[in-house]
Amino acid sequence: MMTAPLVSYRSDSDSDNDTKSQVHPEKVDPDALAHLQPLKSGRTMSLAVLNSAPEVAVKEAVETGVHLDPSLKEVTYNPTYETMFAPEFGPVNPYTSQQMAAPRNMLSGYAEPAHVNNFMFEQQRRTFSTFGYALDPSVDTSQNSSNSYIGAVDEAEKKKGLTVFEVGPKKTDKRKKVQGGEANDIDNYLGPWAKYVDEKDGAKPSEDEQKELDEITAKRQKKGRNEEEAPAEEKTILHVKDAYDYQGRSYLHVPQDVGINLRTADIPDKCYLPKKQIHVWSGHTKGVSAIRLFPVSGHLLLSCSMDCKIKLWEVYNERRCVRTFIGHSKAVRDICFNNTGTQYMSAAYDRYLKLWDTETGQCISRFTNRKVPYCVKFNPDEDKQNLFVAGMSDKKIVQWDVRTGEVVQEYDRHLGAVNTITFVDENRRFVSTSDDKSLRVWEWDIPVDFKYIAEPSMHSMPAVTLSPNGKWLACQSMDNQILIFGAQNRFRLNKKKIFKGHMVAGYACQVDFSPDMSYVVSGDADGKLNIWDWKTTKLYHRIKAHDKVCISALWHPHETSKVITCGWDGQIKLWD
């Protein structure tokens, strides 16, 4: 920018030479100065040209302190507010509001730099999450008044403002000191640990603990080891009036009067979201562990529970409890029908696997290898119905023959307890998951896994379901998502199909598909039934199904919108 010059003129008495030295024709246009020609008079006149250029910071102004260079690290004088917030370049914006002129270093305003020690921050965070109070950072904490805390102020006053690291009994060394431990006693010095002697019996239990231990010991001595490991006595209760109808048909007979054909494996063309609860099966006194539908028809429902009982229910008509099977001394973990549904296996924490007759309620045979079975599956092939496999707590998958009652094969490659077994590829192979966070694929009767899947990012997958078309495996992962693996040949993770939005960490919530592969359903730790769209993986619907964990969800294979759920509140519910 340029400032208009100050031009001075004198009368005719001045010499022509002097005038020529002031004005140079090649530099100044005469026409531009015509209106400034002085009147013909004897006096001298000076005209000041109006300066219309705005005020800007120039070098002299910077040096004299009118403008403050933002790159300066040190200022040797006290600048004014206008100086500090003057524009770096160019004129001041006349339309600037007070809000616009205020300095800011972030979108919402000006954040002053602050520093909190990492330990102090973590200390206050943990104190707040544990006790509900923490120091108020905006108040002077040296006064230590009730106003200096946020959150549960009453709790802070009660605990005198102690942090989570300061509360609790101080650990004291209860070991006895003996002679020979002091370094200054050179003749008797036996080393730095010599002054302590551990108690021979270790830490003594308290009176309450001692009573409890005495009771347990007395019970064990009374029962004896052999008697304790003996299988529980089996019995059954029939809840319906007649086991057979007027034609001599039992409750295993598929009903014909329910409006759909249950005898065939036909699936509905289009499935819909269930909206409301239409029935509750109640009879278990503790949480339900698993539910299984009768093969092909799905007209009966088998449930096992932590009350050590197994119950058979009607899905249609009156929806009664048909029969109760009692024969385990501890909670029943898993159940599995054979292909025809005439028999089923049960696995319980009493370390026994038992084969039951579905119609009569008789226990046909018992199997055990002194380990807890976590899952059990019959081989689905028609010519191998006498064989079943069980995933055990000792990291093995054990294969039994029902006819001989002997172990015929062991699959021993997992590094943790085996949680699930799922048959794939026309039953030639089966997939197992374990607490070792891996997935292994086995050829039937070959005890070496031919496929091993384990990634650093993988979590344990305690519930696995095969899709109705046999192409996909839905695995409930402990990082609160359902992973989909291909069930043919390569067993690759399908990264486009990951279902999220539910909370299942720590619970083996069973997943299922709708018969037309439109939806994926699963329970969660909050007792909710979650329904996702298979194509988009979006969470479509969520229903509060149970008061406690919703451990399993089954979509009926012949119904368009009927879903059965069970939970740890002891109830089984039907949704439509």
Side-chain angles (χ1 to χ4, degrees), residues 333 349 369 371-376 390-398 411-421 431-440 442 452 459-464 478 508:
R333 166 82 184 219
Y349 285 99
N369 68 343
K371 298 293 183 290
V372 177
Y374 281 174
C375 58
V376 62
M392 312 302 287
S393 59
D394 66 343
K395 313 171 192 176
K396 294 179 183 178
I397 299 170
V398 184
Y411 306 83
D412 184 13
R413 303 280 285 183
H414 274 295
L415 305 174
V418 181
N419 292 319
T420 67
I421 296 170
V431 176
S432 63
T433 61
S434 164
D435 285 345
D436 63 9
K437 304 180 184 179
S438 72
L439 184 146
R440 294 174 192 259
W442 315 76
Y452 169 67
H459 288 67
S460 177
M461 297 180 290
V464 177
M478 286 294 93

Side-chain angles (χ1 to χ4, degrees), residues 240 242 250-253 255 279-281 293 298-302 311-323 556 564 572 574:
V240 293
D242 298 313
S250 73
Y251 50 75
L252 297 188
H253 177 74
H279 188 72
V280 179
W281 289 286
L293 283 166
H299 73 289
L300 294 173
L301 178 72
L302 192 68
K311 289 181 180 285
L312 192 66
W313 316 80
E314 289 177 333
V315 176
Y316 294 98
N317 299 325
E318 296 177 45
R319 300 193 174 104
R320 302 167 296 179
C321 178
V322 179
R323 191 182 282 278
H556 197 286
I564 303 167
I572 305 165
L574 179 62

Side-chain angles (χ1 to χ4, degrees), residues 203-462:
K204 291 182 179 179
S206 63
E207 290 183 11
D208 295 337
E209 290 173 339
Q210 188 62 48
K211 282 182 183 178
E212 197 174 336
L213 287 169
D214 291 342
E215 286 176 10
I216 294 168
T217 309
K219 279 183 183 177
R220 283 184 182 170
Q221 290 173 351
K222 190 175 180 180
K223 282 186 176 181
R225 183 176 176 82
N226 295 331
E227 189 179 339
E228 191 179 339
E229 290 187 353
E233 183 185 352
E234 297 88 6
K235 60 181 180 179
T236 182
I237 303 169
L238 183 68
H239 298 285
V240 293
K241 188 177 180 181
D242 298 313
Y244 302 94
D245 63 5
Y246 70 98
Q247 288 185 330
R249 300 175 299 190
S250 73
Y251 50 75
L252 297 188
H253 177 74
V254 180
Q256 303 294 304
D257 56 348
V258 295
I260 55 173
N261 186 8
L262 299 177
R263 290 180 177 274
T264 62
D266 295 340
I267 62 171
D269 296 330
K270 174 73 177 151
C271 289
Y272 304 93
L273 295 174
K275 300 287 185 186
K276 61 183 179 179
Q277 173 188 310
I278 61 173
H279 188 72
V280 179
W281 289 286
S282 54
H284 287 294
T285 57
K286 291 186 180 178
V288 181
S289 307
I291 50 176
R292 299 284 182 266
L293 283 166
F294 196 83
V296 183
S297 66
H299 73 289
L300 294 173
L301 178 72
L302 192 68
S303 65
C304 62
S305 169
M306 298 174 194
D307 61 6
C308 313
K309 294 174 184 174
I310 303 162
K311 289 181 180 285
L312 192 66
W313 316 80
E314 289 177 333
V315 176
Y316 294 98
N317 299 325
E318 296 177 45
R319 300 193 174 104
R320 302 167 296 179
C321 178
V322 179
R323 191 182 282 278
T324 299
F325 305 84
I326 303 168
H328 287 287
S329 59
K330 291 185 180 176
V332 186
R333 166 82 184 219
D334 196 20
I335 44 178
C336 179
F337 276 112
N338 65 358
N339 283 3
T340 58
T342 55
Q343 297 176 350
Y344 72 88
M345 289 293 307
S346 64
Y349 285 99
D350 60 3
R351 300 189 172 127
Y352 275 90
L353 294 129
K354 295 192 176 184
L355 180 66
W356 302 81
D357 187 295
T358 315
E359 186 177 331
T360 63
Q362 301 265 320
C363 180
I364 300 167
S365 52
R366 310 175 195 90
F367 310 89
T368 184
N369 68 343
R370 306 270 182 235
K371 298 293 183 290
V372 177
Y374 281 174
C375 58
V376 62
K377 278 283 193 302
F378 273 102
N379 188 314
D381 277 345
E382 290 296 336
D383 59 339
K384 296 188 180 74
Q385 285 290 284
N386 59 305
L387 299 172
F388 71 91
V389 284
M392 312 302 287
S393 59
D394 66 343
K395 313 171 192 176
K396 294 179 183 178
I397 299 170
V398 184
Q399 181 179 320
W400 269 279
D401 191 328
V402 170
R403 297 169 298 188
T404 61
E406 294 179 356
V407 174
V408 293
Q409 187 62 272
E410 278 190 355
Y411 306 83
D412 184 13
R413 303 280 285 183
H414 274 295
L415 305 174
V418 181
N419 292 319
T420 67
I421 296 170
T422 312
F423 282 87
V424 297
D425 195 17
E426 297 178 355
N427 309 322
R428 291 193 293 266
R429 302 168 177 167
F430 63 90
V431 176
S432 63
T433 61
S434 164
D435 285 345
D436 63 9
K437 304 180 184 179
S438 72
L439 184 146
R440 294 174 192 259
V441 188
W442 315 76
E443 296 276 358
W444 176 256
D445 221 15
I446 298 175
V448 179
D449 51 322
F450 85 92
K451 187 82 174 178
Y452 169 67
I453 301 168
E455 297 290 337
S457 60
M458 279 175 62
H459 288 67
S460 177
M461 297 180 290

